[in-house]
């Protein structure tokens, strides 16, 4: 624990809290993964309008979370590691994924939320192939490729590295019909993950010069962009500038568009030489919690458990017209995070006995 980077550990914790918050918005309220996403009328009251603005801001500001994890991976694995290291780490992650996939499936079948079938059982035993978790599937492949990618990146001069990043940005960026990202990549693709890996490595290899107010500037850009997009979505719909005739509905953006800039800004706040100075208690808590955060994703965003969590347990749609909706959202996110961390802590302690 003593050798861990407290700032990066805090970044991991915050990124996972963002993932849970984003899922509250887009799985709990908007149901973006469903073909006919929920279009909810928020304009029935002042509370409803305020809650829409809150949810839209939360959705945009948390859209950077998976990008952050890929940036962190590149930041730490730029220095070439052996293939055996990558295989060992990937295998440990795979075992954890299979454990939670299978355990959650058994619990759902036993509780009546799911009906057992051989096909579903096999999918839980092969979660990478079945794409039960797109993020973890991409993450494991990225780990396996990291020794070769890192060695190649480490051999580049600064100018060559910058040229590579420019090309990667060019082929990855897309916003709607604009850009090449929809042709060559995509916000959930391995190509985009490799690009973020390369970018994180560049930040580690060529850190920016120390500037006193740099973290504040980066945070301001990140928050400013999120707020601007939020108010454009709200006033654009209210004033009929976009989606004329539609009720207010939550917008989203691909990870490889404007959120890419926000991801870099947020990431730079926690990396030297301009990183934040953390209180001792925050550093200790971050270092203690960080080893368990990936399990938060595996538990709460399990494909079979997702609808049970948001539609049967949390039920955010029931509170959209309440002034208590915002605190309800924040408390729910913290509870989900804390419960999942506790479960993973217990699992690791039991596993260590064997």
């Amino acid at each position: 624990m003593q050798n861990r980077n407290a700032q990066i550990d805090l970044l991991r914790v915050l990124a996972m809290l963002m993932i849970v918050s984003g899922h509250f918005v887009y799985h709990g309220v908007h149901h973006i993964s469903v073909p006919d996403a929920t279009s909810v009328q928020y304009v029935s009251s002042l509370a409803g309008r305020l809650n829409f603005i809150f949810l839209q801001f939360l959705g945009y500001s948390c859209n950077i979370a998976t990008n952050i994890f890929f940036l962190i991976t590149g930041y730490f694995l730029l220095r070439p590691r052996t293939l055996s290291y990558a295989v060992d780490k990937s295998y440990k992650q795979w075992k954890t994924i299979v454990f939670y996939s299978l355990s959650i499936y058994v619990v759902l079948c036993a509780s009546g939320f799911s009906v057992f079938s051989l096909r579903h059982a096999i999918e839980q035993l092969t979660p990478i192939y079945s794409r039960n978790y797109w993020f973890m599937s991409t993450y494991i492949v990225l780990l396996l490729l990291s020794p070769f990618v890192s060695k190649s990146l480490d051999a580049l001069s600064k100018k060559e590295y910058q040229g590579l990043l420019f090309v990667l940005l060019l082929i990855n960026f897309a916003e709607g019909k604009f850009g090449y990202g929809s042709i060559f990549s995509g916000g959930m693709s391995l190509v985009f993950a490799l690009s973020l890996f390369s970018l994180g490595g560049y930040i580690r290899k060529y850190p920016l010069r120390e500037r006193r107010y740099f973290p504040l500037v980066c945070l301001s850009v990140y928050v400013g962009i999120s707020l601007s997009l939020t108010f454009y979505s709200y006033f654009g719909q209210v004033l009929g500038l976009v989606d004329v005739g539609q009720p207010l509905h939550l917008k989203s953006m691909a990870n490889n568009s404007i959120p890419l800039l926000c991801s870099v800004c947020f990431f730079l706040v926690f990396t030297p030489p301009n990183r934040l100075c953390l209180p001792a208690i925050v550093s200790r808590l971050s270092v203690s919690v960080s080893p368990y955060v990936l399990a938060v994703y595996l538990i709460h965003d399990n494909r079979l458990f997702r609808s049970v969590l948001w539609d049967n347990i949390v039920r955010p749609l029931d509170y959209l017209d309440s002034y208590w909706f915002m605190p309800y959202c924040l408390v729910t996110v913290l509870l989900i995070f804390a419960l999942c961390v506790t479960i993973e802590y217990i699992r690791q302690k039991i596993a260590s006995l064997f």
Side-chain angles (χ1 to χ4, degrees):
M1 291 288 187
Q2 293 179 350
N3 295 324
R4 295 190 68 93
N5 186 318
Q7 281 81 7
I8 297 297
D9 281 333
L10 176 60
L11 183 58
R12 285 193 183 96
V13 171
L14 293 175
M16 188 54 68
L17 284 168
M18 287 179 179
I19 286 178
V20 180
S21 300
H23 289 163
F24 184 100
V25 176
Y26 293 116
H27 293 324
V29 176
H30 192 42
H31 295 86
I32 200 168
S33 59
V34 179
D36 295 322
T38 310
S39 185
V40 183
Q41 181 62 266
Y42 293 90
V43 295
S44 57
S45 66
L46 175 60
R49 288 174 176 264
L50 292 175
N51 290 335
F52 171 82
I53 294 172
F54 167 74
L55 286 168
Q56 186 65 88
F57 175 76
L58 198 64
Y60 279 136
S61 61
C62 293
N63 209 25
I64 67 172
T66 52
N67 290 358
I68 293 294
F69 277 104
F70 291 132
L71 286 168
I72 291 173
T73 305
Y75 185 81
F76 281 112
L77 297 185
L78 174 69
R79 296 173 182 174
R81 306 292 181 94
T82 62
L83 180 60
S84 60
Y85 170 87
V87 171
D88 181 62
K89 191 168 184 178
S90 300
Y91 179 59
K92 288 179 180 178
Q93 293 292 347
W94 179 83
K95 287 193 298 183
T96 305
I97 295 171
V98 171
F99 171 82
Y100 281 116
S101 293
L102 196 58
S103 299
I104 291 172
Y105 182 60
V106 170
V107 171
L108 290 177
C109 288
S111 57
F113 284 107
S114 185
V115 178
F116 177 82
S117 73
L118 183 60
R119 180 176 67 85
H120 282 157
I122 293 174
E123 286 179 353
Q124 310 319 306
L125 292 170
T126 58
I128 305 301
Y129 182 80
S130 305
R131 295 281 289 179
N132 286 351
Y133 305 97
W134 78 266
F135 168 64
M136 290 306 299
S137 298
T138 305
Y139 183 71
I140 284 182
V141 175
L142 185 65
L143 285 177
L144 291 172
L145 292 174
S146 63
F148 313 104
V149 178
S150 298
K151 191 172 183 178
S152 301
L153 293 174
D154 196 45
L156 297 175
S157 67
K158 185 175 183 179
K159 188 174 182 179
E160 290 171 333
Y161 208 145
Q162 290 172 342
L164 172 65
L165 291 178
F166 175 78
V167 172
L168 290 175
L169 176 63
L170 187 65
I171 67 173
N172 274 290
F173 183 85
E175 178 50 47
K177 296 180 180 180
F178 177 78
Y180 292 100
S182 58
I183 301 173
F184 298 111
S185 177
M188 298 166 64
S189 69
L190 178 60
V191 174
F192 184 57
L194 286 168
S195 302
L196 289 170
F197 179 95
S198 303
L199 182 55
Y202 182 87
I203 294 171
R204 177 68 178 271
K205 190 174 184 179
Y206 303 108
L208 298 172
R209 289 183 299 173
E210 185 173 2
R211 292 180 175 86
R212 184 177 180 182
Y213 297 107
F214 187 76
L216 181 61
V217 171
C218 288
L219 279 176
S220 299
V221 172
Y222 159 66
V223 174
I225 291 175
S226 300
L227 283 173
S228 298
L229 291 172
T230 297
F231 287 118
Y232 174 76
S233 171
Y234 176 73
F235 288 109
Q237 294 181 75
V238 168
L239 300 176
L241 303 176
V242 294
D243 300 319
V244 178
Q246 297 290 331
L248 286 173
H249 63 280
L250 296 164
K251 302 283 188 179
S252 61
M253 302 187 79
N255 299 348
N256 59 330
S257 57
I258 296 175
L260 176 58
L261 172 61
C262 293
S263 305
V264 175
C265 288
F266 197 77
F267 183 74
L268 288 173
V269 173
F270 296 86
T271 55
N274 300 292
R275 61 187 176 186
L276 297 173
C277 294
L278 302 178
I281 187 172
V282 175
S283 297
R284 288 196 297 269
L285 185 61
S286 302
V287 169
S288 299
V289 172
S290 180
Y292 312 109
V293 296
L294 280 179
V296 178
Y297 173 81
L298 296 176
I299 297 170
H300 92 278
D301 202 44
N302 177 277
R303 191 165 60 182
L304 298 177
F305 179 57
R306 183 188 297 157
S307 61
V308 176
L309 173 64
W310 300 117
D311 298 338
N312 296 88
I313 300 175
V314 179
R315 301 176 62 88
L317 291 174
D318 293 348
Y319 309 98
L320 283 177
D321 278 325
S322 170
Y323 286 106
W324 289 100
F325 179 81
M326 295 182 199
Y328 176 72
C329 170
L330 298 177
V331 170
T332 298
V333 168
L334 290 174
L335 279 176
I336 291 173
F337 180 87
L339 286 172
C340 292
V341 165
T342 302
I343 291 170
E344 174 62 5
Y345 174 80
I346 295 170
R347 185 197 71 82
Q348 289 192 22
K349 288 298 181 182
I350 294 174
S352 66
L353 299 177
F354 299 94

